[in-house]
Structures are given as C-alpha cells and as structure tokens.
Amino acid sequence: MPAPQPAHYLRRLGIWDAAMIVIGGVIGAGIFRTPAAVAKSTGSGTEVILLWTIGGLLTLAGVLCYAELGARRPQAGGTYVYLREAFGQLPAFLFGWTMALINYPGSVAAVATTFADYAARAVGLPHEWVKPIAVGAISFIVAVNLFGIRAGALMQNIFTILKLSAVALLIVVGLYLARGHLGLAFVADTTREVPTSMLIGALLPAMFAYGGFHYLNDLAGEVRDPQRTLPRALGLGMGSVVVCYVLVNIAYMAGLGHAGLAASTAPAADLMRRVFGEAGATVIAVGIACSTFGYCSIAIAGGARVLQVMSADGMFFKPIARIDPRTNAPQIALMALGGWAIALILSGSFEALVDYTTVGEWLSHAFGIATIFWYRRKLKSEPSPYLVPGYPVVPLIFTTTVLCVIAATAIAQPQNAGMSLLIIAIGVPVYYLWRRRK
C-alpha cells in the first residue's frame, strides 16, 4: 500500500483574491492619519501630491520586482525563500527571526489595538474594552483562517471592499467641499518656508504608508496559475492603491486646506465632521476599523506561512511545520503567531517592537529585491515567465531608495534603528544554536 502523501498548500486564490490581498495589505490605518505628517513638512498642496505620487511610483518599482520573484518561485514563504536560495540559510533565518517572530506579530498587535480603539469609539464603549476587543479580533481571524485559505480570502475580500468604500467616501466628501474651488487645494502656504531636506524627510511617512505589498508573495503557494496571476495582481492591486492615495490627499486638501491638513491629528474624522458632524466622524471610525481588521487578517495569514516554511527547514519548532490535511492550512503556525500577538497586546510591549523592527523590515525589502540580480546571473538557463521591465534600472532605483529611507530613518530615529540592527544581530547566535540543536 503506497504511503499517504504529506499535506501541502492548494492553489485556490484567483486574480481577484490576490489583488484584494495586495490592496488590503497596504491600506491599513496609515492613509487615514499619515497625510497630516506629510503636509506638515511641505509648503503647498502641490508638494503633497508630488510626494505621494513619487512614493507610489517608487513602490510600484518594488512591486514589479516582487512580481518577477513571485513568478520565479511561486511558493509559500516569499522573501524568506528568495533569501535562502540566493544568499543562504543565515540571511533567510535573520529575515524570519526579525519579521515572522517580531515584526509581523508586533504589527498585528499594534493594528489590532487600533482596530479595537476605533471600534470601541464607534459603539460608545469605554477605553477599558480596547484590549479585550483586540484579543477577540485576533482570535476570530485565526479561527477563520484555520478553515483554509478560501475562508480567509472570503473574509479578506469583504473587509477590503469595506475599506475601499471608506476611502471612496472620503474622496467624494472632499470633492464636495471643494465645489468648484479645487485649485485652492494646491496653492502654496506663503507663511512658511520648507527646506529641501524637510521635503525629502516628508517622503518617509508616505513610503511607510505604501508598505505591505509583500504579503501576497508570502501566500504565493496558494495562488492559481501563479506565473500569470502574481504579476497581474501585484500590478493591479498596487496601482489601485496609488490612485486611491493620491485622490484621498486631494480630497483632504480640498476639504481642509493645506494648513488644515497639516494641523489635523485625525484628518479623516475632521473631513467627515465638516459635512456630517459627529455622525460623520463615527462613520469613518467604522471604516478605519474595517480597514485595520482586514490588514490583521492578511498579516496573520502571510506571517504564518513564513513560520511554517522556516519550521519545515528545521529553523523553528518542528510541529509548526505541519499543514493540516483537511484544510491545507498551517494551523499550528496560525495559532502560534496569533497567540504571540495576543501576548504582546496583553503585555503592552508591541509599540516598541514595531518601532524597533521598521529598519529591519525595509532592509528585508532591499535584500529581497537584490536577489533578482542573483537569479538573473545564476539562472540564465531558467527562463522566467515574467521579467521586470527596465532591468537593472528598476530594481536598482528601488534598492537605492530603500537604503536612503533606512539611512534617513537612522538619522531621525537613531535609537530605534540601533535596536532594529541589534535584534537582527541577536539572531546570528540564535541561528547557530538552532543549527546545533537540529
């Protein structure tokens, strides 16, 4: 009697599901708050739109590179797999150590708390309910994903549509407030002078708001016809995000003015409040809650796949490598990641972790995309079904930009950058200890 085949991932995600994952992974809470930070460092609405457009185009360059990588290696694990093949097990482990064990659960804990905060405010619950709601949200997301990728994708699609509806509402309200005076949104603020260095610094929050496009590559092992679907979904999803972000910023400035946007601590709520009063602020709070909930779903699903692949390589606890034969989901990895995120919420330590691992996240993007040069040089005889246009200029532009973002972040926040590098460095002895244990 033949031995039963081990469980593996099934390709059940079509282009619609994949594009929704890209959109949902990028649009979280950032676009509802970050534009104020960008406006503070600029002198006109034109500069704001220019920065968001530049940030979007730079991110699209990275997305095109990830499209080639995903088409070359359409399997679960994403960047971890590319680093392992191109640069060896140690760099791959350091990525997994930093991202799957620290950044992903830390981000989930932070964004789940944001979701709980907005949800509690929307229904009038006191602040004491925030932690229980955040824990409940993560538990619910993990429970749904235990049933397989189709259940998780259905939930994700619903919440991505809801977050896009919230974005569309902001755009309509902003343009309604302009009513024939849209040009005023782009006028210069003559009361302030903005040096060039400050403008470059304003690109940082915009770039961070565009992050999250890599989650689809973590789930590439469950995408149908991946060589065609991954490039199309990444391009369609990220292109849609760039258009949404630019239009939302035009709406903010049309409704609040450049100075009003720069002074706002909650621009989305302020914009809605101008038309609908407190009811409008409540409506957009619900929209932000939906947006953040959807992000948590993607981060948990993608992070669990990275953990599972690491464990299958013997670089983490062996039980986490198991894929359930009935649902074809990495159930133990999902529960481990969700449980660690819940522990971070209850301990209240997640905010520091997210700050400390930001540099590590962007380093992983730089080195992940740098693997394209290795694939092109070493695997000339292995044609890729999709090649990034403009090679080698496009990956060089993105990698150089990311390294500049890292340098600017290190200058602006040396303590956080130092801690990020320390966390990565601690992973080196952990790696060798794990290899000895193995």
Side-chain angles (χ1 to χ4, degrees):
M1 214 178 147
Q5 294 296 313
H8 59 279
Y9 293 117
L10 298 181
R11 299 194 179 276
R12 293 172 171 171
L13 299 176
I15 188 168
W16 168 259
D17 302 312
M20 290 293 102
I21 288 170
V22 176
I23 295 171
V26 177
I27 302 178
I31 191 57
F32 301 105
R33 305 161 90 176
T34 305
V38 176
K40 284 178 185 176
S41 301
T42 58
S44 71
T46 302
E47 291 174 352
V48 170
I49 297 305
L50 183 62
L51 287 173
W52 282 98
T53 303
I54 291 172
L57 292 176
L58 289 171
T59 308
L60 278 172
V63 166
L64 292 175
C65 298
Y66 266 83
E68 177 174 333
L69 292 170
R72 285 183 178 275
R73 294 294 180 265
Q75 58 196 84
T79 304
Y80 173 85
V81 173
Y82 317 144
L83 291 172
R84 181 188 64 193
E85 189 166 20
F87 301 140
Q89 189 70 62
L90 176 58
F93 176 84
L94 294 179
F95 164 82
W97 160 263
T98 306
M99 300 301 297
L101 296 177
I102 301 173
N103 186 277
Y104 283 8
S107 296
V108 168
V111 178
T113 302
T114 302
F115 157 77
D117 187 32
Y118 278 101
R121 274 191 265 169
V123 298
L125 291 174
H127 185 73
E128 290 74 19
W129 281 83
V130 169
K131 279 189 178 181
I133 292 173
V135 170
I138 292 175
S139 301
F140 178 77
I141 289 169
V142 170
V144 171
N145 278 278
L146 292 178
F147 290 97
I149 194 63
R150 282 306 313 157
L154 176 60
M155 177 176 64
Q156 177 55 44
N157 291 347
I158 292 170
F159 280 93
T160 300
I161 291 171
L162 289 173
K163 74 172 66 181
L164 287 174
S165 300
V167 168
L169 180 60
L170 286 174
I171 294 169
V172 170
V173 169
L175 297 180
Y176 167 77
L177 286 172
R179 287 204 297 277
H181 303 286
L182 187 59
L184 295 175
F186 300 93
V187 298
D189 185 351
T190 57
T191 63
R192 35 197 328 250
E193 263 185 51
V194 178
T196 303
S197 60
M198 188 177 289
L199 276 176
I200 295 173
L203 186 60
L204 292 179
M207 289 288 289
F208 290 146
Y210 279 116
F213 55 84
H214 61 282
Y215 287 116
L216 178 60
N217 288 57
D218 294 340
L219 298 161
E222 291 156 282
V223 175
R224 288 198 300 266
D225 192 11
Q227 283 82 4
R228 286 167 55 87
T229 301
L230 283 169
R232 292 180 178 183
L234 282 163
L236 176 62
M238 200 64 217
S240 301
V241 171
V242 174
V243 171
C244 286
Y245 277 16
V246 171
L247 289 177
V248 166
N249 277 276
I250 292 174
Y252 282 145
M253 290 181 296
L256 302 174
H258 179 270
L261 176 59
S264 176
T265 57
D270 289 343
L271 185 65
M272 292 293 291
R273 196 177 283 115
R274 287 196 59 183
V275 177
F276 302 108
E278 288 305 318
T282 301
V283 168
I284 202 62
V286 173
I288 297 172
C290 292
S291 182
T292 49
F293 186 93
Y295 169 84
C296 290
S297 176
I298 294 174
I300 288 173
R305 268 68 180 177
V306 176
L307 275 181
Q308 185 274 322
V309 175
M310 282 182 65
S311 301
D313 284 349
M315 290 292 105
F316 203 49
F317 297 109
K318 187 176 180 180
I320 292 178
R322 182 179 183 272
I323 298 174
D324 185 78
R326 295 165 302 147
T327 64
N328 300 97
Q331 291 187 337
I332 299 176
L334 285 164
M335 290 186 287
L337 186 64
W340 180 225
I342 288 173
L344 292 176
I345 288 175
L346 296 177
S347 68
S349 59
F350 57 85
E351 290 183 357
L353 278 179
V354 174
D355 291 339
Y356 292 160
T357 55
T358 297
V359 168
E361 179 180 4
W362 283 89
L363 274 175
S364 74
H365 288 327
F367 282 99
I369 286 177
T371 62
I372 282 184
F373 301 106
W374 183 87
Y375 282 113
R376 291 285 188 105
R377 188 177 72 255
K378 293 292 186 180
L379 302 180
K380 291 180 180 178
S381 60
E382 183 182 314
S384 173
Y386 172 82
L387 296 173
V388 59
Y391 177 89
V393 176
V394 169
L396 276 174
I397 287 175
F398 184 81
T399 305
T400 303
T401 302
V402 168
L403 293 176
C404 289
V405 168
I406 291 170
T409 304
I411 293 170
Q413 303 169 347
Q415 180 181 356
N416 289 345
M419 286 298 298
S420 186
L421 295 175
L422 179 61
I423 288 170
I424 295 172
I426 291 173
V428 175
V430 173
Y431 167 77
Y432 286 107
L433 286 172
W434 202 273
R435 284 194 62 178
R436 178 176 293 183
R437 175 184 179 275
K438 178 184 172 184

